Amino acid sequence: MGKFIEMSDALMDYISKIGVREHAVQARCRAETAAMGRISGMQISPDEGAFLAMLTRLTGTRRYLEIGTFTGYSALSVALALPTDGRIDALDVSDEYVGRARTYWAEAGVADRITTHIAPALETLDGFLKAGRTGTYDFAFIDADKTNYAAYVERCHRLVRKGGLIAIDNTLWSGAVIDPANTSDDTRAIRALNDALAKDPRFDIALVAISDGITLLHVR
Ligand code: CA
């Protein structure tokens, strides 16, 4: 036995059954998104949804900022864990995908907690900063275009309160981050961000190997 277990489909199924309490609408969102084909890889996994929900509860989050909403599974996971006065700002560039997301949120009874912003996220985030939202979010989740990740982290550092949390998805990038032969724009962007965050004194850091890697940043 090695020091680390290797994930398999069977073990993932076990985790999904035993370690995740999925709402019926979450299950439907997942099934219908899977039917969309290859693009469904943009959806977070069920255990990651449960992890985000747990983080939401542990941080006492009332204001959640999401960069990259797709068909709504992650926002739904957090929305179901928020207190009734909790609010979500969900950012995405696709009205089509977010349109699907809205049907799930409505069906789960959490649509009134979620405001969508369909535009390039940097424009929306800079608008939030101009509107005086500095330090008003408890928790931000970044799961969008990788080449803008560093810019998203900078905005989130200002928008999330001290003591709040920033979570960044796909920071292991299928392991490509340690493959020097992989020099795609996305890989280089994630690798550079990881290298920078490793010594960034503004945050406490934990990169956890859930799904495709999630970097957790506690804002100092
Ligand atoms: Ca992702």
Side-chain angles (χ1 to χ4, degrees), residues 154 157 162 195-205 217-220:
E154 288 311 304
H157 174 252
K162 275 198 199 319
D195 288 347
L197 291 177
K199 48 185 185 295
D200 192 324
R202 299 174 299 172
F203 307 108
D204 300 296
I205 186 170
L217 301 173
H218 172 254
V219 181
R220 285 177 171 170

Side-chain angles (χ1 to χ4, degrees), residues 25 28-37 39-40 43 69-73 76 94-108 116 118:
V25 180
R28 198 164 68 75
C29 171
R30 203 152 56 79
E32 292 179 1
T33 302
M36 290 164 67
I39 191 78
S40 66
Q43 184 169 59
T69 289
F70 190 42
T71 55
Y73 191 94
L76 179 55
S94 170
D95 212 8
E96 186 199 333
Y97 295 146
V98 172
R100 284 171 175 259
R102 287 192 192 101
T103 66
Y104 302 121
W105 300 336
E107 201 186 328
T116 57
I118 310 299

Side-chain angles (χ1 to χ4, degrees), residues 41-44 48 141 143 146 149 169-170:
M42 280 169 49
Q43 184 169 59
I44 63 165
E48 187 168 2
F141 180 52
D143 188 14
K146 311 311 172 201
Y149 262 25
D169 198 33
N170 302 103

Side-chain angles (χ1 to χ4, degrees), residues 41-169:
M42 280 169 49
Q43 184 169 59
I44 63 165
S45 56
D47 58 322
E48 187 168 2
F51 185 62
L52 293 179
M54 183 63 79
L55 292 175
T56 301
R57 295 181 198 281
L58 290 173
T59 54
T61 289
R62 306 165 87 89
R63 296 286 179 274
Y64 169 70
L65 173 62
E66 180 171 274
I67 304 169
T69 289
F70 190 42
T71 55
Y73 191 94
S74 44
L76 179 55
S77 303
V78 170
L80 291 167
L82 281 178
T84 48
D85 65 343
R87 292 291 176 268
I88 290 176
D89 284 295
L91 281 54
D92 206 284
V93 287
S94 170
D95 212 8
E96 186 199 333
Y97 295 146
V98 172
R100 284 171 175 259
R102 287 192 192 101
T103 66
Y104 302 121
W105 300 336
E107 201 186 328
V110 296
D112 60 335
R113 299 179 187 179
I114 306 172
T115 305
T116 57
H117 306 267
I118 310 299
L122 286 177
E123 288 175 17
T124 303
L125 296 170
D126 287 340
F128 287 172
L129 287 165
K130 271 194 198 121
R133 295 198 192 181
T134 300
T136 59
Y137 291 91
D138 304 297
F139 178 16
F141 180 52
I142 301 172
D143 188 14
D145 49 319
K146 311 311 172 201
T147 49
N148 273 322
Y149 262 25
Y152 296 148
V153 169
E154 288 311 304
R155 269 64 170 188
C156 287
H157 174 252
R158 296 174 63 190
L159 289 164
V160 173
R161 65 172 168 83
K162 275 198 199 319
L165 176 68
I166 301 169
I168 313 167
D169 198 33

